[in-house]
Amino acid sequence: MDYSKFKSGSDIRGYALGDESNPLYMDDMMVMRCTTAFLDWLKSKTGECTPYISVGHDSRLSAERIKNAVIKALVSNGANVADCGLSSTPAMFMTTVDQGCNGAIQITASHHPKDRNGLKFFTRDGGLDSSDIAEILETASKIENPVGNENGECSESPYMKRYAQILRDMIINGVSSETNRNRPLEGMKIVVDAGNGAGGFYATEVLEPLGADISGSIYLEPDGNFPNHTPNPENTQAMECVSKATADANADFGVIFDTDVDRAACVGKGGFEINRNRLVALASKIALASCPGGTIVTDSVTSDGLAEFIAENGGIHLRFKRGYKNVINKQIELCSKGIDCPLAMETSGHAAFAENYFLDDGAYLITKLIIKAAALAKEGKNLEDLIGNLKEAEEEKELRFKILCADFRPEGEKIIELFENEAKSHKGWSACNDNHEGIRINADSSCGNGWFLIRLSVHDPIIVLNTESNETGGTMKMCRDIADVIAKADNIDLLDISALTDYIR
């Protein structure tokens, strides 16, 4: 079996339900080999012969089976295990900070379908990088018997109760309430949509004990079938669900998490959606209030309006690459050089505050927003008032083109190079001067009045086209020009551009 195919960025992912003949099926032996390889890696990095490792999982149907395999491999190879049960991914990292764990393993596939699952690894320094995962998978493929003959110990550790307390204390200390310190959210109505993932605790164990009315909350019960909607803040149906629930409950604020709570989005009064560029703008506004002049790192598809908004609020915008680890690693790099970088954030909802161990934590982000919302409520204002001057595009469109060969990266890079050269002579086009990924090109009013970005997918044999226009019909203008250029490619027969041609038709 080619274990390298289980690599998904900085995670290990595959199928965990259904037909075990699937080449990417995560059977118990595969899981134990990867776990043992991580344990060996951790021992070599820390020098700890008997590591203490926490294990948690989201609500997926395959979680219990995989957890049992993970614990069996760890204990039989001499590790001591804290079985944390149903947990959020950020909480598992926090066990390395707060509980003295040498490492942590979260069993999750984020927002992916219910038949998928995966392994996510942490040390006190954060989540493992892509290169670490590649090394672990290579080691795992060479392990014949992952079950050792040592006798580590495993004990139950309900860390989520402690994690919820940390968030409650953060709100208590952040909201000035002279009359009712321990219930600072009384009078606020907040809707939580956990999408039947691991995030229901935020309503019942964080908000409700602090006095918030959570009666309009939906889908708090963990259910790995995800019967109501995909637990994903980027999903249109999911955002419509939380928006409607917030409006129907006449709530002050709405919250939605992904399955393992490392991402989030929110909704303002009346169901006003705050995600993608709006959410990045709101988080940036709050981060820059305590770090004037700081740098905000985002992924490559953020809007021109967001860049203007960050500058207007005294910040510096660094538009970097897609991939939450990419933006976080850039944030860490800048901070190590003495450059203040309070926030790194993807439009997907991954948000890492420097003050919070550079950890992408949806619950921490929402907690910061609720503290601010409580302060604004005293002034008769709402969170959305903070981003009232954010300029938003009239249209946006994302299209994906499959690369039809195994060695896809060189072919994708040829297309990017084609557009780099075209931008030098194409009337109405100009390449942006801060490209870190693919090629982003500004199009003037004659060519669509906006911008487009052509880049390779982080993980898959796909070219991604993102377009944004400040006028109705502008994305169509850009796509027609883009189609004309792609037609010139000498490897056009290796591309499936049907999504582009269908859109133009």
Side-chain angles (χ1 to χ4, degrees):
M1 181 183 293
D2 183 0
Y3 275 30
S4 67
K5 292 183 178 179
F6 287 97
K7 183 176 177 295
S8 178
S10 55
D11 296 354
I12 291 171
R13 284 183 186 157
Y15 291 82
L17 295 175
D19 187 358
E20 296 186 23
S21 66
N22 186 315
L24 289 182
Y25 184 80
M26 297 178 64
D27 61 23
D28 289 359
M29 183 60 69
M30 179 270 179
V31 170
M32 288 191 290
R33 283 175 175 149
C34 292
T35 302
T36 301
F38 168 66
L39 180 58
D40 291 343
W41 179 92
L42 186 65
K43 287 178 179 178
S44 69
K45 295 294 181 183
T46 64
E48 179 62 57
C49 297
T50 309
Y52 182 37
I53 299 176
S54 59
V55 178
H57 59 81
D58 65 22
S59 60
R60 291 172 184 277
L61 300 174
S62 55
E64 194 70 21
R65 173 182 70 82
I66 293 177
K67 183 187 78 169
N68 290 338
V70 167
I71 292 175
K72 181 178 180 180
L74 291 174
V75 170
S76 69
N77 285 286
N80 293 323
V81 176
D83 179 357
C84 297
L86 183 70
S87 303
S88 73
T89 292
M92 295 311 299
F93 164 77
M94 286 299 296
T95 63
T96 69
V97 174
D98 194 41
Q99 301 290 293
C101 293
N102 303 108
I105 301 175
Q106 172 74 346
I107 300 162
T108 182
S110 186
H111 62 280
H112 289 275
K114 66 180 182 180
D115 60 347
R116 316 292 171 83
N117 215 329
L119 301 172
K120 197 174 187 73
F121 303 113
F122 292 96
T123 70
R124 174 61 181 79
D125 294 328
L128 271 61
D129 283 323
S130 177
S131 59
D132 300 319
I133 297 301
E135 179 183 340
I136 285 169
L137 284 167
E138 182 179 1
T139 301
S141 68
K142 300 174 182 176
I143 296 175
E144 291 188 12
N145 182 12
V147 180
N149 55 11
E150 298 183 54
N151 294 303
E153 296 181 355
C154 178
S155 59
E156 291 188 3
S157 177
Y159 181 71
M160 286 302 293
K161 293 187 180 298
R162 164 65 181 155
Y163 179 69
Q165 178 191 332
I166 292 172
L167 296 174
R168 289 197 306 271
D169 289 345
M170 185 176 164
I171 293 173
I172 288 171
N173 293 325
V175 177
S176 176
S177 178
E178 298 176 1
T179 57
N180 199 355
R181 174 173 168 77
N182 291 323
R183 292 177 64 83
L185 299 183
E186 279 195 336
M188 289 188 72
K189 191 167 190 177
I190 302 174
V191 165
V192 175
D193 179 349
N196 301 112
F201 81 96
Y202 195 81
T204 57
E205 297 183 42
V206 179
L207 300 179
E208 191 172 36
L210 297 181
D213 178 350
I214 62 165
S215 59
S217 295
I218 55 176
Y219 315 142
L220 302 182
E221 305 79 13
D223 184 343
N225 286 300
F226 307 130
N228 295 293
H229 63 70
T230 300
N232 180 4
E234 286 191 289
N235 180 269
T236 300
Q237 181 193 4
M239 286 304 298
E240 288 174 351
C241 278
V242 69
S243 181
K244 182 177 185 302
T246 303
D248 289 349
N250 194 27
D252 302 293
F253 190 57
V255 178
I256 185 168
F257 294 113
D258 72 343
T259 322
D260 62 325
V261 202
D262 60 358
R263 291 189 297 133
C266 58
V267 174
K269 192 82 172 174
F272 178 78
E273 293 183 9
I274 305 175
N275 62 347
R276 298 184 61 78
N277 285 293
R278 291 175 180 175
L279 185 60
V280 180
L282 186 55
S284 299
K285 179 96 172 182
I286 291 172
L288 290 169
S290 57
C291 186
T295 296
I296 307 296
V297 181
T298 73
D299 58 347
S300 58
V301 300
T302 48
S303 68
D304 289 342
L306 177 66
E308 292 180 25
F309 181 88
I310 290 172
E312 288 167 0
N313 283 276
I316 299 169
H317 181 214
L318 173 56
R319 188 169 50 219
F320 196 51
K321 299 178 181 179
R322 289 285 280 179
Y324 72 95
K325 282 295 289 182
N326 286 327
V327 295
I328 292 173
N329 285 344
K330 175 57 71 172
Q331 177 190 32
I332 293 171
E333 175 194 328
L334 294 176
C335 288
S336 70
K337 295 177 179 179
I339 299 171
D340 288 334
C341 185
L343 176 67
M345 191 164 180
E346 267 203 313
T347 47
S348 65
H350 284 284
F353 287 86
E355 67 191 28
N356 188 41
Y357 310 101
F358 303 101
L359 174 66
D360 51 318
D361 184 345
Y364 188 90
L365 168 66
I366 294 301
T367 299
K368 296 275 289 186
L369 299 184
I370 286 174
I371 291 170
K372 187 63 177 178
L376 289 170
K378 295 177 181 178
E379 305 173 21
K381 298 179 180 178
N382 300 311
L383 276 175
E384 50 267 40
D385 294 332
L386 296 182
I387 55 173
N389 62 338
L390 172 67
K391 296 177 183 176
E392 299 190 79
E394 187 70 25
E395 291 183 339
E396 60 181 61
K397 187 70 177 177
E398 179 176 288
L399 298 171
R400 291 171 175 253
F401 318 138
K402 291 182 180 178
I403 304 174
L404 307 175
C405 63
D407 189 16
F408 64 88
R409 192 160 294 278
E411 303 304 326
E413 288 171 350
K414 286 180 184 178
I415 299 299
I416 292 169
E417 184 179 2
L418 172 66
F419 278 86
E420 286 175 346
N421 292 329
E422 186 73 20
K424 297 173 184 176
S425 57
H426 194 290
K427 185 178 180 181
W429 283 7
S430 59
C432 295
N433 58 10
D434 60 346
N435 282 306
H436 295 280
E437 177 179 50
I439 177 70
R440 181 162 168 151
I441 294 174
N442 290 319
D444 69 13
S445 57
S446 68
C447 295
N449 191 15
W451 59 268
F452 64 90
L453 170 69
I454 293 179
R455 61 185 173 85
L456 273 168
S457 167
V458 177
H459 309 307
D460 303 314
I462 290 173
I463 293 172
V464 185
L465 168 65
N466 293 93
T467 65
E468 248 189 35
S469 175
N470 298 312
E471 64 181 47
T472 302
T475 58
M476 181 62 72
K477 287 182 183 178
M478 283 186 270
C479 284
R480 286 180 176 139
D481 286 347
I482 290 165
D484 290 342
V485 174
I486 288 182
K488 303 176 185 178
D490 59 13
N491 60 347
I492 186 69
D493 57 326
L494 296 178
L495 302 179
D496 176 2
I497 61 169
S498 56
L500 178 61
T501 55
D502 289 348
Y503 176 60
I504 291 173
R505 288 197 195 104

